Every structure is written in structure tokens, then in C-alpha cells.
Amino acid sequence: EAQVTQNPRYLITVTGKKLTVTCSQNMNHEYMSWYRQDPGLGLRQIYYSMNVEVTDKGDVPEGYKVSRKEKRNFPLILESPSPNQTSLYFCASSFVPSGSSYEQYFGPGTRLTVT
Amino acid sequence: GQQVMQIPQYQHVQEGEDFTTYCNSSTTLSNIQWYKQRPGGHPVFLIQLVKSGEVKKQKRLTFQFGEAKKNSSLHITATQTTDVGTYFCAGPLYNFNKFYFGSGTKLNVKP
């Protein structure tokens, strides 16, 4: 089954404790992206990756890191989480045809609480 | 700041009534996508519009892309309880890589 998986689905942590949220897709998509969703703000892009070893900042990258060592995986790293990073996080992936964009497939989401 | 705005933020309708959500961008979009997110779920792709003035239909849903490619709308005819959810527009602004989502319109349908 074609899908995007995220782990963990729920996480409660304390300020300053480094954490990683994993994301994996089995559709051989080049494009992967991380979003955070907060009430009234919709989804805001944190980082995206066009392919292996190619990553770039989205709209709200501060406090986050990513890596793309393999095509299928795109982990999100919070080196020193703070309470303002409490949010619902979604990973997404899509193909990247030339000259256009394509529908994004979203993972189930990770609800993070930083106390 | 927010590049893509959506209105209204909330809409409560009686089953059978129509519903429309509007999406406006401060700059030209190369294309626009619409997604639906059910309560507790993740966004699911509905459609993509690419051409200026394009109109597409999916059963009771009608999508429009403005002539200037800065605005779009989603219209649902005769809503059903299965239409409940939050509808988002999204589009890449300057290239096809960085995406901006609207703030979403949450639709509630009373049976």
C-alpha cells in the first residue's frame, strides 16, 4: 500500500530535550516536506527536499533541522525543543515533474507537546 | 507573513445548503491545489488547477482558478454530512518547490 508513515504519532517532551520525528514514504517520490499545523494558521512549511541531499527552508524553519540521506526517509530534528514548537506535524511527499507541482501525500501526523 | 488567505474561517450549514470557500494570494500562483482534512485526519488532495480561469468539477464540487491566478474558490452544491471537514487551498508562489497553504475553512454540516 502506497503511504507516508510518521513516528511517533504522539510525543510529550520537555524543553531542551532533543528529539527526532521520522518520516518514510514507499512511493519513490523525489519531493518531501514537513509542515506544522496550528489553529487558525493552516499548514506552514518547515523544510522541503527536492531529492537526496537537497533540502531547503520553508516558511518557518527556525528551531528545526532535516536531512535526506535516502530517498524514502526525511526525518525532522528538534535539537532543543521549546514550548512554541508544540504543534501537529505532517510529513508529505510527491513526484516532481518538470515545470509543475504534483499532489502531495500526507502522513498521519505527529502531535508534539513540549512542556 | 501569511501569503495565502482563506475565507471564511468557519461555516455552519444545514444539510442540503450550498457552501463556498474563497482563497486569495498576495502574489501570482503558478497553480493551486485543494485539500480536505477530516476531523482528526490528515490533508487529502482533491484537485489541482493550472490554467488561468480554469473551472473543474467533481460531482457536487466546483473549483475555479481566477483569471489573474491570484484567487480561487471551491463551491459545494447541496452539502452532505460527509462534506464535514476543513478545506485548504495551497500553491507554490515563486517556484514549484515552496508551498503556501491557506488558513483553511472549517465546514460543519447539520443533518
Side-chain angles (χ1 to χ4, degrees):
Chain A
E1 181 192 352
Q3 60 181 350
V4 178
T5 57
Q6 292 179 231
N7 282 292
R9 294 289 312 280
Y10 303 90
L11 180 60
I12 300 175
T13 189
V14 296
T15 299
K17 186 176 180 182
K18 181 180 178 179
L19 66 92
T20 299
V21 183
T22 64
C23 173
S24 183
Q25 50 92 6
N26 62 0
M27 295 168 279
N28 202 34
H29 286 166
E30 297 89 356
Y31 184 93
M32 296 188 75
S33 181
W34 276 103
Y35 297 90
R36 60 177 290 174
Q37 183 174 25
D38 302 289
L41 297 178
L43 290 100
R44 293 179 292 168
Q45 194 174 41
I46 303 171
Y47 269 94
Y48 61 93
S49 170
M50 296 297 292
N51 215 323
V52 176
E53 302 293 357
V54 181
T55 64
D56 211 342
K57 296 177 180 179
D59 209 29
V60 287
E62 295 78 19
Y64 305 94
K65 284 175 59 176
V66 293
S67 68
R68 188 89 181 273
K69 294 184 171 58
E70 305 165 284
K71 196 172 186 179
R72 63 184 293 127
N73 297 323
F74 191 45
L76 179 69
I77 303 153
L78 284 73
E79 294 269 2
S80 182
S82 62
N84 64 12
Q85 292 178 298
T86 292
S87 187
L88 177 59
Y89 291 86
F90 287 102
C91 180
S93 72
S94 73
F95 286 114
V96 185
S98 173
S100 182
S101 53
Y102 240 67
E103 64 179 280
Q104 295 183 67
Y105 293 79
F106 282 80
T110 296
R111 188 165 291 280
L112 172 66
T113 302
V114 184
T115 61
Chain B
Q2 192 86 8
Q3 304 272 4
V4 180
M5 302 299 295
Q6 248 183 287
I7 55 169
Q9 191 173 0
Y10 302 96
Q11 184 83 58
H12 300 270
V13 300
Q14 198 73 37
E15 189 172 23
E17 292 180 338
D18 292 357
F19 159 76
T20 304
T21 173
Y22 300 92
C23 180
N24 292 286
S25 170
S26 55
T27 58
T28 302
L29 300 167
S30 54
N31 60 67
I32 195 155
Q33 300 176 349
W34 285 90
Y35 291 81
K36 176 183 178 180
Q37 184 178 23
R38 294 184 187 275
H42 58 274
V44 175
F45 176 82
L46 293 176
I47 207 162
Q48 177 168 289
L49 304 170
V50 180
K51 298 176 184 175
S52 169
E54 190 170 11
V55 178
K56 286 188 176 180
K57 291 191 176 185
Q58 288 180 347
K59 298 182 181 177
R60 295 178 294 104
L61 278 61
T62 302
F63 303 85
Q64 290 188 324
F65 199 11
E67 293 290 340
K69 300 184 79 173
K70 286 187 175 183
N71 56 73
S72 180
S73 65
L74 157 60
H75 179 83
I76 302 178
T77 304
T79 54
Q80 300 174 359
T81 55
T82 53
D83 295 326
V84 165
T86 301
Y87 293 84
F88 293 98
C89 60
L93 291 183
Y94 304 109
N95 55 42
F96 302 111
N97 310 329
K98 194 171 179 178
F99 262 81
Y100 289 91
F101 274 74
S103 49
T105 296
K106 189 172 183 178
L107 172 64
N108 187 38
V109 181
K110 287 185 267 188

